[in-house]
Amino acid sequence: MTDINACQAAPEAEFNDYIALLKPRVMSLVVFTAFVGLWVAPVDVHPFLAFCSVLFIALGGGASGALNMWYDSDIDAVMRRTQSRPIPAGRVQRGEALAVGLALAGLSVMMLGLVANWFAALFLAFTIFFYAVVYTIWLKRWTPQNIVIGGAAGAFPPMIGWACATGGVSIESLLMFALIFFWTPPHFWALALFMRDDYKEAGVPMLTVTHGRPVTRRHIFAYTLVLAPFSLWLGFTSVGGALYLAVAVVLNAAFVRGGWQILRRSEEAARADDFAVEKRVFKLSLTYLFLHFLALLGQNWLGAW
Amino acid sequence: MQLRVEHELHGRRRSRNVGLGIVLIAFVALVFALTVVKVRQGHMLEAFDHQPRLSLLPAEEPAEPAPNPSQEAAE
């Protein structure tokens, strides 16, 4: 009987566990923003090449997710939200995650170079390096500003998409970067205010823990103010137009108002209604980013300036 | 515990094998389709082959043919 029980004690991975290593939910954001960046660029790309480009950008994002799970498996084992991930649950070995991450990183960069161009491929390689090494290994455990700088990794995909089409960087792609870059901190800190995560035990410096919740509220409001001009500026570039500007004005007004409400609330009031405002602003932040990029697509369809 | 020919472990292994098989076949199909698209776009299907080829020379603009210097001299 012992050998049968041994099998049950160490569950083997199924295919879905390797898919889970690639963080499919994060990937959906990467796919959408990279696609928009590629599609609104002024150079026409063959639809199949566009599909392949987005696919390999997403695969690169998945590779950095696997590398993140490899390095952070100790944190993931401590925090309740992440305990069921494949490595802490014991279904995938750490070394396997590292191997999957490195192999997919190499494959995605090489294939993007062959599909699109080598500038875009290098850009993807840099993004994977930035997320896996600069964010995960270096900043995440060291500074409460980890979210801010790590947000850059999530902001690169539309720039890579744009680079796939044009082979370069321009003001439009930089502003799409800025849009996601300055959106990440208020989005994540709103989540941190109502998700009582065990970051302290895991040893991750979170702004809510290191500097307190009132400071986090001020930061959220400040970032919504910084974000708004970049969002509107994008409307005056070659990818912008009346539709995009209308959407951007409405969304930024709502987001700044949400940031203001978060700033004005006391902890007692927040706890009394179970963080209703914080939860609403977090949901709004998801809509905010999705509608911005959807508006860029719509504007491209209608014809930009 | 009831002994079965097929343990739950085998299901997990099958899911891995089938999954990897599908991924590999999809990748082969993708690279083939990519090749077809890239060749159809065909920027440079011929290359230098140890002797000059007319078809490799830059295309002349048909609208304004360049004046032939030898003809001008004859006139």
Side-chain angles (χ1 to χ4, degrees):
Chain A
M1 285 311 279
T2 32
D3 47 354
I4 293 175
N5 288 332
C7 286
Q8 285 170 337
E12 264 190 39
E14 32 181 290
F15 191 66
N16 283 344
D17 291 321
Y18 293 102
I19 300 288
L21 279 184
L22 310 184
K23 299 197 175 182
R25 283 173 65 190
V26 178
M27 221 190 245
S28 61
L29 174 78
V30 172
V31 166
F32 182 57
T33 57
F35 171 73
V36 173
L38 191 153
W39 201 253
V40 301
V43 180
D44 277 337
V45 181
H46 188 286
F48 186 72
L49 296 185
F51 165 78
C52 290
S53 301
V54 173
L55 179 74
F56 289 117
I57 295 172
L59 198 64
S64 45
L67 292 173
N68 172 274
M69 287 211 195
W70 157 70
Y71 193 78
D72 274 352
S73 56
D74 56 334
I75 296 181
D76 289 349
V78 174
M79 297 208 301
R80 254 173 290 122
R81 181 169 62 90
T82 52
Q83 267 169 359
S84 59
R85 284 181 177 176
I87 301 178
R91 294 193 298 274
V92 173
Q93 301 298 310
R94 281 191 81 213
E96 282 183 294
L98 177 63
V100 167
L102 288 178
L104 289 186
L107 183 79
S108 59
V109 169
M110 187 189 75
M111 289 305 295
L112 190 65
L114 294 172
V115 171
N117 55 67
W118 290 101
F119 176 76
L122 272 178
F123 209 153
L124 179 66
F126 174 73
T127 305
I128 297 171
F129 167 80
F130 194 88
Y131 185 73
V133 177
V134 177
Y135 171 68
T136 304
I137 296 182
W138 182 31
L139 291 170
K140 187 173 175 181
R141 297 162 193 240
W142 178 59
T143 162
Q145 297 297 315
N146 48 16
I147 300 302
V148 180
I149 304 155
F156 282 130
M159 283 187 85
I160 305 176
W162 182 278
C164 284
T166 64
V169 173
S170 66
I171 185 70
E172 292 87 351
S173 77
L174 283 170
L175 285 172
M176 282 190 272
F177 170 85
L179 185 67
I180 305 181
F181 181 73
F182 290 113
W183 163 87
T184 310
H187 163 78
F188 204 90
W189 282 328
L191 178 74
L193 279 178
F194 67 82
M195 280 279 287
R196 302 195 154 263
D197 246 329
D198 356 15
Y199 286 112
K200 207 170 184 177
E201 288 144 53
V204 179
M206 254 318 176
L207 196 65
T208 45
V209 176
T210 56
H211 290 70
R213 303 167 73 86
V215 174
T216 309
R217 291 173 184 277
R218 281 206 290 280
H219 273 70
I220 291 176
F221 179 59
Y223 271 103
T224 58
L225 287 184
V226 174
L227 173 61
F230 287 103
S231 152
L232 297 176
W233 186 3
L234 187 56
F236 293 101
T237 62
S238 71
V239 296
L243 170 76
Y244 173 83
L245 268 180
V247 172
V249 166
V250 173
L251 287 173
N252 279 291
F255 206 36
V256 170
R257 182 169 161 270
W260 175 250
Q261 286 172 335
I262 285 188
L263 174 72
R264 300 300 294 169
R265 267 157 81 83
S266 66
E267 275 309 308
E268 292 74 41
R271 231 172 273 128
D273 63 2
D274 196 26
F275 300 96
V277 173
E278 287 79 0
K279 285 176 181 168
R280 190 174 57 75
V281 172
F282 174 73
K283 276 188 194 136
L284 174 68
S285 72
L286 289 169
T287 317
Y288 177 96
L289 198 70
F290 178 69
L291 286 187
H292 261 91
F293 278 87
L294 198 65
L296 283 175
L297 271 188
Q299 190 67 63
N300 182 259
W301 185 63
L302 289 175
W305 291 127
Chain B
M1 185 184 166
Q2 189 192 358
L3 278 177
R4 284 180 296 134
V5 178
E6 178 131 332
H7 192 266
E8 177 253 2
L9 183 77
H10 294 100
R12 290 169 180 274
R13 280 190 189 159
R14 193 187 305 113
S15 111
R16 286 210 309 262
N17 295 338
V18 171
L20 189 61
I22 291 172
V23 166
L24 287 177
I25 291 169
F27 185 67
V28 169
L30 188 109
V31 170
F32 180 70
L34 204 55
T35 311
V36 171
V37 170
K38 286 267 178 188
V39 169
R40 286 236 174 112
Q41 283 188 335
H43 295 298
M44 197 65 166
L45 291 178
E46 288 183 89
F48 179 73
D49 191 19
H50 303 96
Q51 55 179 341
R53 287 193 197 175
L54 284 178
S55 56
L56 282 181
L57 294 176
E60 286 176 27
E61 293 194 10
E64 282 181 52
N68 192 330
S70 58
Q71 276 184 355
E72 276 175 23
E75 285 167 12

